[in-house]
Amino acid sequence: MSGYNIDAIFWGDNFDAVSQEISSLCAGGNNPIIAIKSACVVEFNGKNVGTTTRSIILVDPDIEEAHMLKSWFKKEGSTASSTSLTKRSPFGHQQKR
């Protein structure tokens, strides 16, 4: 809702555990809210959020902030412009993991 976006990088088992659920929701036309507890902010080539071995990933958590974000996205967020806090390197591209 701030007008900024940031890339999140999921490492190892953290993503394997929820990738199927996220893929199914996206394939069905849903836009899931993904909450990450104990993520780390990395400032290399801009900012990124990465998972660690202690990270907890929740898909569509039943918390007030997630409901507010989902409501905003349905009303206006899907068409709103945003500025990325993650910068792309001129020497290569980041791959989706």
Side-chain angles (χ1 to χ4, degrees):
M1 295 184 292
S2 67
Y4 290 96
N5 66 63
I6 191 166
D7 287 356
I9 301 170
F10 299 89
W11 297 102
D13 295 337
N14 285 314
F15 189 66
D16 293 340
V18 295
S19 63
Q20 181 119 15
E21 182 180 4
I22 293 169
S23 294
S24 295
L25 288 167
C26 291
N30 295 313
N31 296 294
I33 302 297
I34 301 169
I36 306 169
K37 183 177 181 178
S38 297
C40 65
V41 176
V42 179
E43 292 194 47
F44 176 77
N45 236 3
K47 290 182 173 59
N48 294 296
V49 174
T51 59
T52 68
T53 56
R54 291 187 281 183
S55 297
I56 298 170
I57 302 169
L58 302 172
V59 180
D60 282 333
D62 189 15
I63 57 174
E64 183 179 348
E65 292 86 350
H67 296 296
M68 288 172 38
L69 185 58
K70 192 162 218 96
S71 175
W72 168 81
F73 188 81
K74 284 181 181 178
K75 290 179 185 171
E76 61 187 278
S78 63
T79 59
S81 62
S82 64
T83 302
S84 180
L85 295 173
T86 304
K87 295 185 169 82
R88 305 287 182 221
S89 168
F91 303 108
H93 65 281
Q94 291 182 341
Q95 295 179 343
K96 290 185 178 180
R97 296 177 174 86

